[in-house]
Amino acid sequence: MLNTKTIEIIKSTVPVLEKHGKDITTHFYQMMFQNHPELLNIFNHANQRQGRQQTALANAVYAAAAHIDNLEAIIPVVKQIGQKHRALGILPEHYPIVGENLLKAIKDVLGDAATDDIINAWAEAYGVIADAFIGIEKEMYREAKEQPGGWEGFRKFIVDRKVKESDVITSFYLKPEDGNAIASYQAGQYLTVKVKPETDEYTHIRHYSLSDAPGKDYYRISVKREDHGVVSTYLHQEVSEGDVVLVSAPAGDFVLEAKTAPAVLISGGVGLTPMVSMLHTLLEQQPDREVLFVHGALNSQVHALKNEVARIVATHANVKNFVAYSNPTDTDRAAMNFDKEGFIELDWLQKIVATNQADFYFCGPVPFMKMMYRSLIEWGVPAGNIHFEFFGPASALTE
Ligand code: HEM
């Protein structure tokens, strides 16, 4: 337990570190990757380039430090980050590396202002925060391994089928190479894939939402080929049926709540993948619940899984499907295969959903997520009815 003086120092220096947050963490990452280049096998290089992870880690450490005398209060956040850490394979031995380099970065950036008292206090506080993460993640590793069909770390999966869903999205059906059972999951959770392109020095890890309902003998992920996306390009272009990819056990806390209010599943682009999984699952678990599936895409050429959703809508009176195309093709116009031209906007949502007491789930690209979040808040949707999956630091949503 930290003594009162240490707690006082931490709390009084949090704002100082926040002010220098970006400088400290940029310097921290540069040093850490220089001293431990092997960590470049774990960290997302694109996030590094965009400075996203820098801010996320810094903010999380300061937020934790601000609650250093009551870490219980931030356990839900630690659990959310822990899910990602567990899926990525972050281990207890990684924590001292981060701690050592972070402290050195604080010292370098603050210069004389970083007295021994301050540095020692932060060393102690980091130790307490790291222990909280390590403890929670240890439990997650145990659960991932001990659940039926579960496993530890990364397991080899064979690409059983590769199915083109649109011009830019392809589904991969993955079966374990060992032929044994696979862990179940909850709709909305993601799978974490590790690959090493032959021409690349490093392994690369990415999370992809599971797009089918649980309970099958395979996992399905539906991956969008991103411009300059190392892993998505590799999966689309280099990986064929019969090839092996490494996968860690399903993770994530974006899951359905068994409420009775209508469920509104809103997605932009490839963000529809967890929504399709949720749609299948809702029909299995709550077959009479009213479900609205609202999807926004550029046009039908990049609208993935549309036949799968259309089949469900055609056979279930309680499911309604709404499509917004921001740039419909001439064929789309002739076929009138969409409900709105433009983006998913609040006034349209208000018309099709009718009540702000519905239960809202959404996933999509960053600008879409920001817009949805603001719109639902503006509409007065209760916070407990707003659920989202955000790939990348969730803090970017409210910035
Ligand atoms: C992701 C915090 C320790 C590796 C994250 C995120 C946060 C965070 C907030 C973003 C989560 C999201 O995507 O929503 C922390 C804190 C730590 C810590 C507070 C220490 C107490 C570590 C350690 C490692 C690590 C020891 C490994 C050396 C990663 C990686 C990601 C991540 C690889 C994924 C994002 C990316 O690749 O850019 N962490 N982390 N973290 N963390 Fe940590």
Side-chain angles (χ1 to χ4, degrees):
M1 195 51 210
L2 301 179
N3 66 35
T4 325
K5 186 173 164 232
T6 307
I7 291 173
E8 252 171 47
I9 295 175
I10 293 296
K11 292 204 160 187
S12 64
T13 49
V14 165
V16 183
L17 297 197
E18 268 171 348
K19 203 174 131 225
H20 295 279
K22 197 111 195 230
D23 290 343
I24 293 170
T25 39
T26 305
H27 183 44
F28 149 68
Y29 276 111
Q30 276 164 358
M31 267 193 314
M32 185 167 75
F33 292 139
Q34 210 162 19
N35 297 333
H36 293 272
E38 74 279 6
L39 292 182
L40 287 167
N41 287 305
I42 307 179
F43 281 86
N44 180 333
H45 301 203
N47 279 358
Q48 291 307 313
R49 274 196 299 277
Q50 293 162 11
R52 285 193 338 217
Q53 172 62 10
Q54 268 95 331
T55 343
L57 206 150
N59 286 349
V61 172
Y62 306 141
H67 292 89
I68 195 70
D69 48 351
N70 179 23
L71 280 182
E72 292 287 312
I74 58 155
I75 282 181
V77 184
V78 177
K79 281 191 172 160
Q80 197 184 12
I81 301 167
Q83 292 261 0
K84 292 232 164 104
H85 281 165
R86 196 280 293 153
L88 290 159
I90 308 303
L91 297 169
E93 55 265 35
H94 291 128
Y95 280 85
I97 300 176
V98 164
E100 213 171 277
N101 286 284
L102 188 59
L103 280 173
K104 208 166 167 314
I106 292 176
K107 224 172 172 172
D108 287 351
V109 171
L110 294 191
D112 291 343
T115 60
D116 284 351
D117 276 356
I118 291 178
I119 292 298
N120 292 339
W122 274 92
E124 257 190 89
Y126 177 81
V128 172
I129 295 166
D131 283 347
F133 275 81
I134 291 168
I136 281 176
E137 286 162 20
K138 188 174 168 203
E139 191 52 27
M140 289 176 172
Y141 276 107
R142 196 188 58 73
E143 280 169 18
K145 188 179 168 193
E146 291 180 3
Q147 65 186 319
W151 69 96
E152 198 172 2
F154 286 87
R155 179 172 169 190
K156 285 183 178 168
F157 276 72
I158 293 177
V159 177
D160 188 51
R161 279 200 299 144
K162 195 176 165 184
V163 178
K164 190 172 168 181
E165 307 284 5
S166 80
D167 282 1
V168 290
I169 297 176
T170 292
S171 286
F172 296 78
Y173 289 74
L174 307 170
K175 287 189 170 179
E177 192 192 49
D178 57 28
N180 294 328
I182 53 172
S184 191
Y185 59 92
Q186 294 187 65
Q189 287 193 305
Y190 53 83
L191 212 60
T192 303
V193 177
K194 176 154 84 173
V195 300
K196 182 167 182 312
E198 256 172 44
T199 50
D200 205 307
E201 202 180 333
Y202 301 106
T203 58
H204 296 268
I205 308 179
R206 293 291 183 280
H207 311 290
Y208 295 107
S209 294
L210 287 142
S211 61
D212 208 340
K216 310 277 193 307
D217 65 348
Y218 59 81
Y219 293 131
R220 182 180 75 175
I221 52 171
S222 305
V223 179
K224 180 180 172 207
R225 194 185 64 242
E226 302 283 355
D227 294 339
H228 312 297
V230 177
V231 180
S232 66
T233 305
Y234 177 77
L235 288 172
H236 274 254
Q237 293 179 356
E238 308 293 330
V239 172
S240 312
E241 290 179 356
D243 286 350
V244 168
V245 291
L246 293 168
V247 169
S248 71
D253 53 9
F254 177 56
V255 293
L256 285 166
E257 286 183 18
K259 296 182 182 168
T260 50
V264 186
L265 311 178
I266 313 173
S267 55
V270 71
L272 100 168
T273 54
M275 300 306 168
V276 172
S277 179
M278 285 183 163
L279 177 61
H280 283 293
T281 305
L282 276 167
L283 292 172
E284 280 170 21
Q285 294 180 353
Q286 295 181 286
D288 299 324
R289 187 165 171 191
E290 192 183 339
V291 183
L292 285 88
F293 193 92
V294 187
H295 180 59
L298 205 62
N299 53 47
S300 62
Q301 284 173 324
V302 291
H303 181 172
L305 301 165
K306 60 174 176 294
N307 294 338
E308 187 168 322
V309 173
R311 272 197 302 276
I312 292 173
V313 175
T315 47
H316 294 84
N318 54 322
V319 182
K320 291 197 186 74
N321 186 19
F322 298 93
V323 175
Y325 285 157
S326 55
N327 190 11
T329 61
D330 290 344
T331 322
D332 292 333
R333 285 186 202 286
M336 279 304 287
N337 56 2
F338 57 101
D339 303 284
K340 176 186 192 275
E341 178 163 353
F343 295 112
I344 300 174
E345 283 159 331
L346 181 57
D347 56 348
W348 186 55
L349 267 186
Q350 286 172 327
K351 273 187 213 128
I352 59 181
V353 181
T355 169
N356 65 1
Q357 298 303 306
D359 209 21
F360 293 85
Y361 297 80
F362 60 97
C363 182
V366 177
F368 163 89
M369 297 289 290
K370 286 188 175 178
M371 167 111 158
M372 275 311 110
Y373 186 74
R374 281 197 210 121
S375 299
L376 297 181
I377 295 287
E378 189 187 323
W379 193 11
V381 176
N385 290 16
I386 300 180
H387 318 269
F388 54 84
E389 179 62 291
F390 197 79
F391 285 106
S395 56
L397 191 64
T398 43
E399 272 164 10

